[in-house]
Amino acid sequence: MKRFFAQCYIWLLLVVLYAPIVFIAVFSFTESKVLGNWTGFSTKLYTNLFTGDMQGSGSLMSAIQNTLLIALVAASISTLIGTIAAIGIHNMKGRGKQAITFLNNIPMLNPDIITGVSLFLLFVFLHISQGYTTVILAHITFCTPYVVLSVLPKLTQMNPNIYEAALDLGATPFYALRKVLLPILKPGMVSGFILAFTMSLDDFAVTFFTRGTIGLDTLSTYIYTDARKGGLTPELRPMITILFVGILALLIIINLRKARAAEKANAK
Amino acid sequence: MNNRENIIEIKNVSKSFGDKCILNNVSISVKQGEFLTLLGPSGCGKTTLLRMIAGFGSPDSGEILINGTDITDMPPHERPVNTVFQRYALFPHLDVYENIAFGLKLHKVPEDEIDKRVRKVLKMVSMTDYEDRDVESLSGGQQQRVAIARAIVNQPKVLLLDEPLSALDLKMRKDMQIELKEMHRKLGITFIYVTHDQEEALTLSDTIVVLDNGDIKQIGTPTDIYNEPQNAFVADFIGESNILNGKMIKDKLVEFAGHEFECVDEGFGENVDVDVVVRPEDIYITNKVESAQFTAKVKSCTFKGVHYEMFVDTDKGYELMIQDYNAFEPDTEVGLIIRPADIQVMHKERSVNTYEGEIISENKVKFLNAEWECEPQTEFEPGQKVNVSVNFSNVDLIDHPEDGTLEGEVYFLLYKGNHYHLTVMTDHREYIWVDTNDIWDKGDLVGINIAPKDIKITKLDD
């Protein structure tokens, strides 16, 4: 009986969590302009999305492009900065290390709205004209701590003598970093990059405050503006569905890889 | 003077971390082709010294020379040495072959020669056919072999080994010891080996350097170190031993355990306090009480495989450890004989605690960073520097550190047959030596008290 309720509970939870997405996914296959009105199965919205045969399609496409570009650049730079920072933090000792780890955690716990407003004020104060640059800088700011957090455990697990062993065998510090340290840290860097990429992808508050007035839109700000203009553009439904399926596929791939790695480790 | 035979010279190297002194003015010469072992308890500075030779850490003062060239400030990748690390430190993302070839590739050795050399060392460490294996799939012993192969393939002038066998089980360790010794013979390169295992050191080395607390206690061949320890620390650390207070009556005659013995040592002077070491296997134990030098009563007898280990109480109340192939039941009256050559006489490092102190007031004196009550002093003015001495047996240790004038930790202990001789490290990292009948353990926190009448104050002789 207890088991039955436990099962019911988990299914209820999953339904509540996924119903909105399933709802949108289902209604992406109908032509109705109003969400929730089923006018028969159709893939017209998908065709519209890709042929650009819709109102304001240009700005939607550029929003998608912006989102991907910003996420890619921000995640790449964060991965670079975060990895270097993690190596530095790992080699620190005592109180300094604790303090820096603590400071690294704050941006992750800080509400986005505060990060956004304070960055906005900072950019205004420094007279940096807002646009692409400021949005990317802002995204790097909140993405880097996630990379640090994914790389640090790899460093702690690593045998501390490995880097020294490379130097001992005649490698210069830079060669040892490139050929020994980075390959060992790679899994941490990849998961840090993915984390940073998704954080950047779905950010709204920080982007909203730092994009300035040049009309720069990412997906989130575009949808926000669109929804306020009176109802969601119907073509957003297939787009949300595609995004969701894409992310789902990515997650499944990551989990499968993890499971396979664990299996391999167990087999030894 | 630069001896051409010496491949490595360590000259007056000192190193401190914070206020803790790790190495204190250490000088060692290593000959070409020698197997030298740095031996000592954990924290004695042996690993720090090895890391300095490898280039991971630099001395505060002093210099390190390889082949006459000063390498003190040379970065590790330019030094002609290779290291085998304690936990192997293999590169997990490379296979066995790539791990071993790592150093050769860096030195731009041609591909076909790399191949030849890697296969040769693989054969040497009995790991042929393992080239393509993932290093993490290997056992500890196999990983250690790869680590050794990775180092020797570069044909370094000196191979440094940092407790390379400590993570292996006993059987594997014994096998690897023999293989290492064999490898050293074949390769002809200099090995510097770090270990805390005295048996390993005795088995492998040409020369052993015994280190304690940053100081060299003795340098010598394994037989020298075992048979002729120069001080109580070495005698106690290497093998089992009976260490007793003794008195050199005259040349070739020493008194200890309440009896006079003939010995072979000379030149100590007459009636000089000394430490005497007798190895437990060097005391002959017999049923014939009449013909023996002295008698004892067996307290306990334990079978140890090859021999029996017995503790006896001598006629003058000293406890001795004896190892013999024959068993003597407890409570048996036995006779004991010690041959002159088996008695090792050592200079005492000190016979009394002495410190430089300062008079605070008429009945207060400051030394060891604490203020002590003393007998009223009329001779000295407050602020005057004086000499303070306290007999070992006059230092009281108490259980509750906070009740002592000074707090300390039992750092080293030595059983001297009828009492314990303790080295206590104070909170200010200074030492006080104590003779006591109470039983303390290493690491015990104690309070230190000294009765006012036992603090002897004399003029500072300068």
Side-chain angles (χ1 to χ4, degrees):
Chain A
M1 203 55 189
K2 204 169 142 196
R3 205 180 139 72
F4 172 75
F5 278 118
Q7 290 273 341
C8 283
Y9 179 74
I10 188 76
W11 282 111
L12 185 71
L13 211 68
L14 288 174
V15 165
V16 171
L17 275 176
Y18 285 96
I21 296 165
V22 173
F23 183 73
I24 285 188
V26 168
F27 281 92
S28 68
F29 289 103
T30 187
E31 274 174 46
S32 160
K33 287 237 185 308
V34 186
L35 188 60
N37 232 354
W38 185 262
T39 53
F41 181 82
S42 151
T43 54
K44 183 156 181 285
L45 290 180
Y46 284 87
T47 340
N48 285 354
L49 185 67
F50 286 104
T51 53
D53 189 13
M54 56 181 269
Q55 78 187 99
S57 80
S59 51
L60 174 62
M61 274 306 149
S62 83
I64 293 175
Q65 271 171 17
N66 287 341
T67 310
L68 290 176
L69 185 75
I70 289 167
L72 210 63
V73 173
S76 306
I77 298 178
S78 301
T79 307
L80 187 72
I81 298 176
T83 307
I84 295 170
I87 295 172
I89 292 172
H90 179 70
N91 287 317
M92 287 176 79
K93 284 191 177 73
R95 253 157 216 256
K97 186 175 189 167
Q98 272 178 0
I100 297 278
T101 317
F102 178 71
L103 285 177
N104 180 59
N105 288 344
I106 292 180
M108 286 186 289
L109 303 173
N110 208 9
D112 280 356
I113 188 82
I114 294 179
T115 313
V117 171
S118 32
L119 280 168
F120 167 70
L121 292 175
L122 180 75
F123 292 141
V124 169
F125 175 74
L126 293 176
H127 300 291
I128 300 174
S129 62
Q130 300 190 9
Y132 270 110
T133 329
T134 47
V135 172
I136 288 176
L137 281 177
H139 281 215
I140 292 170
T141 314
F142 70 78
C143 284
T144 307
Y146 290 94
V147 179
V148 172
L149 229 58
S150 355
V151 175
L152 262 183
K154 292 285 157 209
L155 281 159
T156 348
Q157 286 162 18
M158 192 182 79
N159 180 330
N161 291 138
I162 281 189
Y163 175 70
E164 290 178 347
L167 297 183
D168 188 74
L169 291 166
T172 58
F174 183 64
Y175 186 90
L177 177 77
R178 226 158 32 96
K179 292 286 180 175
V180 175
L181 212 52
L182 287 188
I184 294 172
L185 300 184
K186 210 171 89 192
M189 290 167 68
V190 169
S191 54
F193 178 87
I194 293 174
L195 219 67
F197 189 78
T198 49
M199 293 308 290
S200 165
L201 214 59
D202 80 354
D203 174 73
F204 171 73
V206 177
T207 314
F208 191 76
F209 277 101
T210 51
R211 65 184 173 145
T213 48
I214 56 157
L216 173 66
D217 255 326
T218 65
L219 210 49
S220 55
T221 56
Y222 176 86
I223 294 170
Y224 171 78
T225 328
D226 184 63
R228 274 172 36 124
K229 262 192 260 167
L232 218 49
T233 309
E235 280 78 8
L236 282 175
R237 282 176 267 166
M239 197 206 56
I240 290 169
T241 313
I242 291 170
L243 258 182
F244 175 73
V245 171
I247 298 280
L248 192 70
L250 200 67
L251 270 176
I252 290 173
I253 291 169
I254 291 174
N255 278 324
L256 276 179
R257 277 184 53 177
K258 257 194 204 158
R260 220 172 291 155
E263 218 170 83
K264 207 174 148 197
N266 276 339
K268 278 168 193 170
Chain B
M1 195 188 71
N2 230 331
N3 192 335
R4 293 210 70 173
E5 272 205 333
N6 288 343
I7 183 151
I8 291 192
E9 295 205 47
I10 295 159
K11 287 182 178 169
N12 310 99
V13 163
S14 294
K15 174 89 181 171
S16 305
F17 291 134
D19 64 342
K20 191 165 164 38
C21 174
I22 306 291
L23 290 169
N24 181 19
N25 201 19
V26 167
S27 298
I28 301 171
S29 301
V30 189
K31 286 200 194 68
Q32 170 67 45
E34 194 173 12
F35 196 127
L36 180 121
T37 299
L38 302 173
L39 174 67
S42 61
C44 72
K46 54 188 193 294
T47 298
T48 310
L49 185 58
L50 191 84
R51 288 174 58 83
M52 280 179 190
I53 302 172
F56 307 120
S58 52
D60 296 339
S61 63
E63 51 183 9
I64 299 170
L65 282 76
I66 292 188
N67 271 344
T69 325
D70 186 351
I71 56 150
T72 318
D73 297 316
M74 191 186 274
H77 61 271
E78 289 171 15
R79 299 190 181 202
V81 301
N82 283 119
T83 310
V84 177
F85 291 91
Q86 188 173 3
R87 314 255 346 145
Y88 324 132
L90 297 175
F91 306 128
H93 59 294
L94 302 178
D95 66 19
V96 170
Y97 185 97
E98 291 164 333
N99 260 282
I100 298 175
F102 189 89
L104 295 177
K105 280 190 187 145
L106 273 165
H107 290 112
K108 308 252 173 345
V109 177
E111 204 63 49
D112 52 332
E113 199 193 329
I114 292 183
D115 198 63
K116 223 165 65 195
R117 273 162 75 173
V118 170
R119 280 175 213 288
K120 202 175 139 201
V121 288
L122 274 170
K123 200 173 161 205
M124 192 156 194
V125 296
S126 340
M127 291 285 288
T128 320
D129 300 338
Y130 282 87
E131 296 100 324
D132 302 329
R133 291 281 287 273
D134 190 355
V135 289
E136 283 182 333
S137 68
L138 303 177
S139 72
Q142 290 170 331
Q143 288 194 36
Q144 191 55 283
R145 282 162 201 273
V146 176
I148 292 170
R150 184 179 68 176
I152 60 177
V153 77
N154 302 297
Q155 300 168 343
K157 292 210 168 78
V158 180
L159 185 67
L160 308 173
L161 302 108
D162 183 10
E163 308 218 18
L165 309 183
S166 63
L168 304 178
D169 61 47
L170 184 69
K171 176 82 177 65
M172 182 64 102
R173 205 152 65 216
K174 296 267 179 203
D175 292 347
M176 284 298 285
Q177 282 177 13
I178 296 168
E179 285 182 42
L180 271 177
K181 185 92 188 156
E182 182 64 20
M183 233 177 262
H184 175 247
R185 199 183 57 75
K186 269 195 211 155
L187 292 169
I189 57 177
T190 312
F191 278 38
I192 299 183
Y193 194 95
V194 160
T195 184
H196 62 269
D197 182 339
Q198 41 114 352
E199 199 198 317
E200 201 164 282
L202 292 173
T203 312
L204 293 171
S205 327
D206 299 322
T207 305
I208 297 176
V209 178
V210 185
L211 282 165
D212 178 45
N213 208 21
D215 288 314
I216 294 180
K217 289 291 179 180
Q218 187 169 356
I219 302 182
T221 65
T223 25
D224 280 348
I225 299 267
Y226 188 83
N227 290 334
E228 283 157 42
Q230 277 166 9
N231 47 57
F233 177 83
V234 175
D236 181 69
F237 191 73
I238 313 282
E240 307 276 4
S241 53
N242 296 294
I243 303 171
L244 302 167
N245 285 333
K247 185 172 269 178
M248 204 68 190
I249 309 236
K250 56 179 190 187
D251 280 354
K252 302 197 177 186
L253 190 66
V254 63
E255 186 235 289
F256 62 91
H259 294 274
E260 289 184 4
F261 294 87
E262 274 181 45
C263 64
V264 293
D265 301 84
E266 297 173 319
F268 283 82
E270 290 186 4
N271 290 318
V272 175
D273 283 326
V274 290
D275 276 327
V276 173
V277 180
V278 183
R279 295 288 178 188
E281 69 272 20
D282 289 338
I283 303 176
Y284 292 88
I285 178 167
T286 105
N287 280 320
K288 300 189 195 92
V289 178
E290 313 77 45
S291 57
Q293 285 170 307
F294 61 116
T295 61
K297 195 177 200 177
V298 178
K299 252 193 357 188
S300 69
C301 178
T302 321
F303 182 55
K304 289 279 180 180
V306 179
H307 60 261
Y308 291 88
E309 184 172 284
M310 288 161 277
F311 284 93
V312 302
D313 276 328
T314 72
D315 49 356
K316 294 289 195 315
Y318 288 85
E319 190 188 77
L320 296 177
M321 182 203 258
I322 298 173
Q323 291 170 355
D324 202 282
Y325 299 121
N326 302 307
F328 292 83
E329 289 307 308
D331 289 328
T332 326
E333 195 73 20
V334 292
L336 303 177
I337 299 167
I338 306 171
R339 291 190 319 183
D342 291 335
I343 296 170
Q344 168 66 14
V345 180
M346 311 178 299
H347 285 286
K348 267 199 182 303
E349 282 169 276
R350 61 191 71 74
S351 51
V352 65
N353 290 302
T354 52
Y355 304 100
E356 192 183 299
E358 184 186 336
I359 301 286
I360 299 297
S361 65
E362 199 195 345
N363 58 353
K364 274 241 160 92
V365 60
K366 188 176 177 191
F367 62 94
L368 282 174
N369 278 308
E371 287 183 18
W372 307 78
E373 267 191 55
C374 60
E375 307 244 271
Q377 303 293 322
T378 48
E379 231 185 296
F380 304 108
E381 298 288 320
Q384 195 176 341
K385 302 266 189 233
V386 290
N387 230 336
V388 179
S389 67
V390 182
N391 280 337
F392 296 149
S393 53
N394 289 337
V395 182
D396 293 323
L397 298 183
I398 48 174
D399 272 319
H400 299 288
E402 59 276 12
D403 294 341
T405 310
L406 190 60
E407 297 183 17
E409 183 186 335
V410 177
Y411 176 74
F412 182 65
L413 45 93
L414 209 58
Y415 185 57
K416 289 214 149 173
N418 62 351
H419 68 271
Y420 287 93
H421 185 64
L422 307 184
T423 308
V424 178
M425 183 161 71
T426 70
D427 281 353
H428 307 282
R429 296 194 171 279
E430 291 169 299
Y431 296 100
I432 184 164
W433 286 270
V434 185
D435 280 344
T436 173
N437 288 318
D438 300 334
I439 294 170
W440 297 96
D441 278 322
K442 198 175 165 171
D444 279 351
L445 297 178
V446 293
I448 304 165
N449 281 329
I450 305 171
K453 67 176 171 48
D454 294 325
I455 298 179
K456 298 206 173 52
I457 301 174
T458 51
K459 236 177 87 191
L460 195 67
D461 30 45
D462 36 18

